[in-house]
Amino acid sequence: MKGHSHSHESPGLPELTERLRSKMRKVTGPRQAILELMRHHAGPMSIKQIHQGLTTSDCDLATVYRSMHLLEEMGMVKRFDLGDGGARFELLAEGDDGHHHHLVCTRCSDVVEIEQCFPNELEKDIATRNGFKQVTHKLEFFGICPRCQ
Amino acid sequence: MKGHSHSHESPGLPELTERLRSKMRKVTGPRQAILELMRHHAGPMSIKQIHQGLTTSDCDLATVYRSMHLLEEMGMVKRFDLGDGGARFELLAEGDDGHHHHLVCTRCSDVVEIEQCFPNELEKDIATRNGFKQVTHKLEFFGICPRCQ
DNA sequence: CTTCTTGCAAACACTTTGCACGATG
DNA sequence: CATCGTGCAAAGTGTTTGCAAGAAG
């Protein structure tokens, strides 16, 4: 087994609902369904994917949006912006801040998770040179995947 | 005077309109006004900024959108996505592909142009490891600027 | 005079919000 | 049973498009 530093062993559903309860959030049908769905899906999911992925789509679109906000705020999912207008979300393991990047095929939209990150010293350099504090970055790669070439 | 490798000597208006004419595009009032406005503005501009910046806003919003598409397609401006939902544009000098990044203050939205870029060897490494071709990246930095700290 | 552009209004995609009903703790 | 969450419908952004009138070449 190669690298894959993080994720890909999704947390169990009981653990996830426990995280909700511990922060005084109610464990409802839609929330369980969304978590269960994301547990079984590798890679970032769009709101539409999530909504349609819910069996018999038994949850309003607005509720999906509200749930994703809640989960993001609680640090249970991470939001990504892959450049098309539309957020993506990935489920996070407890304690994981989810900072990583993606390589997106511009033809078929296939997404690969990337382990490389922007070099830390370079980022520090950028921060100090410009007098900024608490500097982070958003970074995504785009190209043409093997199958689409 | 420090580094500032590119831009910041904006092309003259005649040169810009000539670029339009050379590609059989008409030199109209709105287009001239937009180019003239961008010539005098450093850093990325939002559509709203551009629209409002036009004197007596003598140009429809839809025309601004259409013009920015045209200019982008012609390689005269570059589109940036700074993470809030709303495109930004920078005027390009002839031949400049405009690839660079920004450091954005998360408090006041002030934008600094950054000369550092994602290391090329690392990007090539990412490309070959995943079998992708024509790989590029989008990269923006966020932090708190000196004045806002 | 032909073709490209514009203004206007309508349409779109994505996301947020008000409110009364319903479910959870 | 108090509070929080949901569905529904309406409203908000940012952006695109159809169409007839107008301007550039």
Side-chain angles (χ1 to χ4, degrees):
Chain A
M1 196 169 277
K2 281 291 200 55
H4 278 278
S5 42
H6 47 103
S7 73
H8 295 308
E9 319 88 36
S10 21
L13 191 55
E15 180 197 324
L16 291 167
T17 56
E18 194 42 53
R19 285 206 245 166
L20 281 172
R21 262 188 270 271
S22 72
K23 295 207 185 179
M24 312 308 277
R25 288 4 251 276
K26 293 183 177 172
V27 178
T28 66
R31 289 178 185 171
Q32 288 184 77
I34 291 172
L35 290 170
E36 187 60 16
L37 176 61
M38 295 188 78
R39 259 169 38 76
H40 295 305
H41 183 103
M45 297 186 79
S46 69
I47 291 283
K48 203 182 290 181
Q49 275 180 309
I50 294 171
H51 185 229
Q52 296 176 345
L54 299 176
T55 37
T56 72
S57 84
D58 43 9
C59 163
D60 195 80
L61 227 204
T63 298
V64 179
Y65 278 105
R66 284 192 273 233
S67 298
M68 298 324 289
H69 275 295
L70 173 74
L71 295 173
E72 182 183 14
E73 196 177 276
M74 292 185 61
M76 295 179 64
V77 303
K78 170 133 177 123
R79 176 189 299 261
F80 288 94
D81 175 9
L82 265 35
D84 58 353
R88 305 296 166 86
F89 299 88
E90 281 184 23
L91 195 54
L92 296 183
E94 181 115 51
D96 186 2
D97 78 336
H99 184 85
H100 64 269
H101 309 291
H102 303 94
L103 174 53
V104 184
C105 178
T106 50
R107 290 239 225 287
C108 69
S109 299
D110 196 32
V111 177
V112 180
E113 191 170 308
I114 292 295
E115 60 273 24
Q116 287 91 338
C117 189
F118 190 80
N120 204 253
E121 324 80 58
L122 250 178
E123 181 166 276
K124 272 192 225 158
D125 185 45
I126 289 170
T128 56
R129 265 182 213 246
N130 295 280
F132 275 57
K133 301 281 186 195
Q134 298 174 43
V135 172
T136 28
H137 58 267
K138 291 186 184 172
L139 169 62
E140 304 293 351
F141 298 88
F142 302 88
I144 301 172
C145 79
R147 271 191 301 152
C148 287
Q149 284 164 31
Chain B
M1 194 171 278
K2 281 290 201 51
H4 279 278
S5 43
H6 45 100
S7 72
H8 295 306
E9 318 87 36
S10 21
L13 190 56
E15 181 197 324
L16 291 168
T17 56
E18 195 39 54
R19 284 206 246 167
L20 280 173
R21 262 188 269 270
S22 72
K23 295 207 185 179
M24 312 308 275
R25 284 11 246 279
K26 292 184 177 172
V27 178
T28 66
R31 290 178 185 171
Q32 287 184 79
I34 290 171
L35 290 170
E36 186 62 15
L37 176 61
M38 295 189 77
R39 259 170 39 76
H40 294 305
H41 183 103
M45 296 187 79
S46 69
I47 291 281
K48 204 182 292 180
Q49 274 179 310
I50 294 171
H51 185 227
Q52 295 176 345
L54 299 176
T55 37
T56 71
S57 85
D58 43 9
C59 163
D60 195 80
L61 226 205
T63 298
V64 179
Y65 279 105
R66 283 191 275 233
S67 298
M68 298 324 289
H69 276 296
L70 173 73
L71 295 173
E72 182 183 14
E73 196 177 277
M74 294 184 59
M76 296 179 64
V77 303
K78 169 131 177 127
R79 177 189 299 259
F80 290 93
D81 175 8
L82 263 36
D84 58 350
R88 305 297 165 85
F89 298 88
E90 280 183 24
L91 195 54
L92 296 181
E94 180 115 51
D96 185 2
D97 78 338
H99 184 83
H100 65 270
H101 308 291
H102 302 94
L103 174 52
V104 184
C105 178
T106 49
R107 289 239 226 285
C108 69
S109 297
D110 196 33
V111 177
V112 181
E113 192 170 306
I114 292 296
E115 61 273 22
Q116 287 90 339
C117 189
F118 190 81
N120 206 254
E121 322 81 55
L122 250 177
E123 182 166 277
K124 270 191 226 156
D125 185 46
I126 289 169
T128 55
R129 264 183 214 245
N130 296 280
F132 274 57
K133 300 282 186 195
Q134 298 174 43
V135 172
T136 28
H137 58 267
K138 292 186 182 171
L139 169 62
E140 305 293 351
F141 297 89
F142 301 88
I144 301 174
C145 78
R147 271 189 303 153
C148 287
Q149 285 165 28

